[in-house]
Amino acid sequence: YSTDSAPGGSMREWWLLVGLLCIPLLAVYLHIPPPQLSPALLTWRSAGAFFTFRSNNIFYRETYGAVGSSDVVILLHGFPTSSLDWYKIWEPLNRRFNRVIALDFLGFGFSDKPRPHRYSIFEQASVVEALVSHLGLTEQRVNLLSHDYGDTVALELLYRSDHNRTGHLTINSLCLSNGGIFPETHHPRFLQKLLKDSSFLSPVLTRLTNYMVFSKGLGDVFGPYTQPTDAEFLDMWTGVRFNDGNLVMDSILQFINQRDEHRDRWVGALTSTFIPVHMIYGPLDPVNPHPQFIFLYQKLVQRSTVSVLDEHISHYPQLEDPTGFLNAYFSFINAF
């Protein structure tokens, strides 16, 4: 029995393994076509419309509901998903409000996803102001209901409104949910950290992220009893892949660094405003863990009211517990 050939043999096997692994990776890197739109996504898109913001098409959806009310609610979604996040609570909101409006931010869902592009929270706030102007609602008092990434966009809109900036919204109320608004209690996912900070790895990682990686990562921020169905996961992934959105993830993720940089502006807007503010919080959230997040929130934002949902509810409360979410929101909105 001779061991002479072992190092060479194991080396050859190792290279063979690397080669075999590289073939599918290369295929992904070169281009796997995005998944087809499901009937649910096709329906959602056909119910919406587009407007142009700085030569980019922005998708939005608007319905008219409650008669005899002039109340308007604008829904601001989170990362990395889209306006579809609101589908479970849309109809009940429609029965309470005269107009329910949601958009896909630039780089998300059915909206354009320019690249290269410097995505920023400031630009997304301008997108919302442009939509409000497009719909003729600049003078109208609007209620903002936001989630995750949308919470930070809402805080920039609040800052502009409270500082009377040109084109600002007239905000009647603000309800936040599970947004990483305090850098000190925010724990981005591992892949998010990699993408936002490693300029040389990002282009490779954004191309290699596939449905399995995506659904595992997203599943981790849903509670164990409130996981999305396979169809819902696939719709979320399709929304990301639409218009090659996976390739702009690293650029969009700069919002985490922007939250650090502009903490005083955005947290300051929240702590100093006199507009009614509420926070709906799923406490099982690994991104904004309980109780650190909510303790800090209550300490800093003393004028805000808070609803903590069931202990099994995590980072996507409007999808995980639509009834609890709506009860909390209506209690807040009907109180003033």
Side-chain angles (χ1 to χ4, degrees), residues 44-303:
W44 190 260
R45 187 171 68 168
S46 63
F50 291 86
F51 81 104
T52 306
F53 172 83
R54 298 179 188 161
S55 75
N56 287 298
N57 291 315
I58 303 293
F59 175 82
Y60 69 95
R61 195 170 169 204
E62 176 192 30
T63 56
Y64 285 82
V67 181
S69 157
S70 60
D71 293 354
V72 175
V73 64
I74 300 175
L75 312 174
L76 307 175
H77 70 78
F79 176 92
T81 40
S82 72
S83 58
L84 191 66
D85 291 351
W86 305 106
Y87 86 96
K88 288 186 181 179
I89 64 169
W90 193 279
E91 280 312 313
L93 288 174
N94 211 32
R95 291 194 289 273
R96 167 63 180 77
F97 290 93
N98 178 247
R99 285 167 92 169
V100 181
I101 299 159
L103 76 158
D104 289 350
F105 289 124
L106 187 68
F108 293 80
F110 293 128
S111 291
D112 282 356
K113 298 170 180 177
R115 65 176 208 277
H117 185 79
R118 293 185 65 146
Y119 288 87
S120 79
I121 294 294
F122 298 100
E123 183 177 47
Q124 304 290 16
S126 298
V127 170
V128 178
E129 289 176 342
L131 173 61
V132 167
S133 166
H134 173 74
L135 296 174
L137 292 170
T138 308
E139 303 302 313
Q140 169 85 34
R141 295 172 77 81
V142 297
N143 301 285
L144 297 179
L145 174 54
S146 61
H147 172 243
D148 181 69
Y149 179 85
D151 283 8
T152 305
V153 179
L155 293 182
E156 173 57 21
L157 290 164
L158 182 66
Y159 178 90
R160 294 180 187 186
S161 176
D162 283 351
H163 289 77
N164 218 10
R165 295 289 168 90
T166 309
H168 73 83
L169 307 188
T170 311
I171 301 172
N172 187 52
S173 73
L174 169 59
C175 181
L176 307 163
S177 59
N178 284 76
I181 49 182
F182 308 121
E184 54 273 46
T185 59
H186 180 244
H187 299 270
R189 312 310 287 163
F190 175 68
L191 192 60
Q192 293 185 347
K193 285 189 214 166
L194 265 184
L195 284 174
K196 81 179 176 72
D197 291 330
S198 41
S199 52
F200 66 98
L201 264 181
S202 297
V204 179
L205 288 172
T206 52
R207 286 175 189 274
L208 293 185
T209 301
N210 59 20
Y211 173 66
M212 271 167 47
V213 173
F214 174 83
S215 52
K216 167 76 179 80
L218 204 59
D220 287 346
V221 301
F222 279 77
Y225 309 111
T226 50
Q227 288 287 307
T229 63
D230 289 348
E232 286 172 326
F233 270 135
L234 190 56
D235 281 347
M236 291 170 177
W237 174 238
T238 305
V240 168
R241 284 294 317 269
F242 191 84
N243 286 341
D244 291 329
N246 52 313
L247 304 183
V248 299
M249 285 276 172
D250 53 333
S251 182
I252 290 176
L253 275 162
Q254 295 311 310
F255 78 87
I256 297 173
N257 300 335
Q258 290 161 22
R259 278 175 176 164
D260 288 351
E261 198 181 330
H262 304 289
R263 182 195 183 281
D264 292 350
R265 177 185 179 102
W266 293 330
V267 175
L270 186 58
T271 54
S272 64
T273 191
F274 286 98
I275 288 166
V277 178
H278 190 67
M279 165 65 76
I280 301 176
Y281 178 59
L284 202 60
D285 185 357
V287 184
N288 305 291
H290 188 268
Q292 299 90 315
F293 170 78
I294 208 69
F295 282 176
L296 185 61
Y297 183 86
Q298 288 174 306
K299 185 178 137 193
L300 294 180
V301 198
Q302 293 179 358
R303 276 191 288 266

